Amino acid sequence: MSLNQIIRLLLSRLNARTAPVVLFLVAVLMVGNYFLERKNSPSTSVGQIAPPHSSLPQELSQQRGAPDSRPARRPDSISQEIPNPASSAKSASFPTADATSAPSRSPGQASAIPDTSQKYRTAAKGSKLTGRAISVADGDTLSFVATDGSSYRVRVYGVDSPELHQSGGEAAQIFSAALTRNRDLELTVMDTDSYQRTVAIVTLPDGRILNAELIRAGHAWVYKRHCITPQCKDWLALEAGARKARRGLWQEENPEPPRNWRKEHPRR
């Protein structure tokens, strides 16, 4: 008599009183049959062994509930269903910094990173801007980022420093950078020049005026052609004092004004 026939016979005797004993005997027979088959088939891999419930007769299946009709999964397929923690972390919808968004900064402080994706902006005459200088091209030209993230190319009003490749140009650049670079500044906009630079009076963190300090240290002339506000008279006095003390560019007997140097070396 086969195992299935024995189980059917036992199930035919199944009632409320004999159910525990019958089910116990069925379980013992199934387990014994499972180990017997495994012993007789040693070459069978784990993934190829059929689950024990596959040999259940239909009557027992109905008593215990219909098994899942889907094919048994191999053990090696389980790993495909387990999410990788690393990949889950990458795919999680955490906020990320947009490459085009302005970097975070404290209130009242401009970003130290220029926005190279946009052109420099210009500001209305008489307006005031607060922000930070991020680079200095020469003594009287700097790049500035306002607290709202907008970028400006700034020409210091009323002064004319030696060009960078002119005698005294590097000294003027170093002086201006030491006072302004990565420092919080306030600009009072005076005009916009032909190069779309914002012409401004630059107030330093300690309240001094960069325009005046460049002249006082001998790193700039008063730009008489464009300096037309009342403070220009005071700046002329500072220029005379620097010339007399032979500070900065005035250490030379006859320094060349930048306007003359630019005529000899036009922009290409």
Side-chain angles (χ1 to χ4, degrees), residues 11 13 23 36 45 50 84 100 104 124 133 189 192 197 255:
L11 291 176
R13 309 291 182 180
L23 292 177
L36 182 61
S45 63
N84 186 342
T100 60
S104 60
V189 179
T192 300
R197 296 178 297 185

Side-chain angles (χ1 to χ4, degrees), residues 162-186:
E163 299 295 330
L164 186 60
H165 300 294
Q166 182 183 353
S167 177
E170 290 188 7
Q173 181 198 37
I174 292 171
F175 179 85
S176 186
L179 293 179
T180 64
R181 189 162 54 195
N182 294 328
R183 296 177 183 271
D184 295 326
L185 308 173
E186 181 181 83

Side-chain angles (χ1 to χ4, degrees), residues 140-222:
D140 55 27
T141 308
L142 53 90
S143 294
F144 175 89
V145 174
T147 52
D148 64 357
S150 54
S151 300
Y152 298 84
R153 189 75 163 171
V154 178
R155 176 65 165 84
V156 182
Y157 168 77
V159 305
D160 200 10
S161 292
E163 299 295 330
L164 186 60
H165 300 294
Q166 182 183 353
S167 177
E170 290 188 7
Q173 181 198 37
I174 292 171
F175 179 85
S176 186
L179 293 179
T180 64
R181 189 162 54 195
N182 294 328
R183 296 177 183 271
D184 295 326
L185 308 173
E186 181 181 83
L187 305 184
T188 302
V189 179
M190 307 297 291
D191 202 354
T192 300
D193 69 6
S194 58
Y195 298 105
Q196 296 302 299
R197 296 178 297 185
T198 299
V199 182
I201 295 174
V202 182
T203 303
L204 302 173
D206 59 6
R208 290 181 297 164
I209 304 299
L210 174 64
N211 316 50
E213 295 306 313
L214 282 166
I215 297 169
R216 190 196 312 274
H219 293 301
W221 282 261
V222 176

Side-chain angles (χ1 to χ4, degrees), residues 99-130:
T100 60
S101 64
S104 60
R105 51 186 179 270
S106 303
Q109 180 184 22
S111 166
I113 303 176
D115 182 4
T116 56
S117 65
Q118 298 181 0
K119 294 182 179 180
Y120 289 110
R121 295 181 58 180
T122 57
K125 183 177 180 179
S127 61
K128 290 185 180 293
L129 301 172
T130 56

Side-chain angles (χ1 to χ4, degrees), residues 9-85:
L9 178 61
L10 290 172
L11 291 176
S12 66
R13 309 291 182 180
L14 186 65
N15 55 47
R17 187 177 61 178
T18 62
V21 176
V22 171
L23 292 177
F24 174 76
L25 292 174
V26 170
V28 170
L29 289 171
M30 290 179 59
V31 171
N33 183 66
Y34 169 75
F35 283 105
L36 182 61
E37 290 180 355
R38 185 172 183 180
K39 182 178 179 180
N40 294 333
S41 304
S43 59
T44 304
S45 63
V46 176
Q48 295 173 333
I49 297 176
H53 66 72
S54 63
S55 61
L56 286 175
Q58 185 176 1
E59 293 86 350
L60 184 59
S61 298
Q62 293 174 352
Q63 292 290 335
R64 300 182 60 183
D68 191 351
S69 61
R70 292 175 296 179
R73 294 173 181 254
R74 294 173 60 89
D76 57 1
S77 67
I78 297 176
S79 61
Q80 299 176 0
E81 298 180 356
I82 301 176
N84 186 342

